[in-house]
Amino acid sequence: VQLQASGGGLVEAGHSLRLSCAASGRSFSRDTVGWFRQAPGKEREFVGAVRGSGGATYYSDSVKGRFTISRDNAKNTVYLQMNNLKPEDTAVYFCASGSRIILSEIRNKDAYHYWGQGTQVTVSS
């Protein structure tokens, strides 16, 4: 499966963005899809994920209550709605997917098999 992340941009603090992760090659409706981000000089970190079966969502503490992940299986796309953005949310955002990710590994980037190319999000203060 090939993943294409899009929707990044430059916004002011307090504003919103919606990122998209579109899959091609096969359906990823049953995959766990995760969002990660990487700021300059920092490790890639978990942002959130959505399970394929049941659609349960999980978030890092830093974004919980501000970011929401949803999926549209008909469009083979997963979204990351980011509200009340902060300057510390500035990073390159990546989507990733995997078909056999156990719950205890959902925050582990090494558990994901397929990665998109990343989209830049910049939040000005």
Side-chain angles (χ1 to χ4, degrees):
V1 63
Q2 293 79 45
L3 304 180
Q4 178 79 29
S6 62
L10 170 64
V11 296
E12 294 182 351
H15 287 215
S16 300
L17 277 175
R18 188 178 78 159
L19 306 184
S20 299
C21 177
S24 61
R26 66 164 175 82
S27 169
F28 75 165
S29 62
R30 296 184 179 183
D31 288 9
T32 295
V33 178
W35 286 96
F36 293 79
R37 66 187 182 187
Q38 188 166 17
K42 294 189 175 182
E43 294 286 322
R44 190 170 298 188
E45 65 172 0
F46 173 80
V47 174
V50 58
R51 297 290 256 175
S53 56
T57 53
Y58 305 86
Y59 301 96
S60 67
D61 288 343
S62 62
V63 307
K64 195 175 297 182
R66 299 188 297 123
F67 290 13
T68 303
I69 297 175
S70 61
R71 65 192 311 160
D72 185 338
N73 289 333
K75 295 183 178 180
N76 220 23
T77 300
V78 169
Y79 303 99
L80 177 66
Q81 178 67 44
M82 306 186 295
N83 297 330
N84 189 24
L85 282 160
K86 304 177 180 180
E88 52 264 41
D89 294 319
T90 295
V92 177
Y93 283 69
F94 299 87
C95 61
S97 73
S99 59
R100 297 177 181 178
I101 299 176
I102 59 175
L103 187 56
S104 61
E105 292 293 315
I106 203 168
R107 292 172 171 78
N108 181 1
K109 64 182 183 300
D110 296 328
Y112 292 78
H113 308 128
Y114 305 103
W115 288 82
Q117 84 289 0
T119 184
Q120 176 71 47
V121 171
T122 303
V123 184
S124 64
S125 57

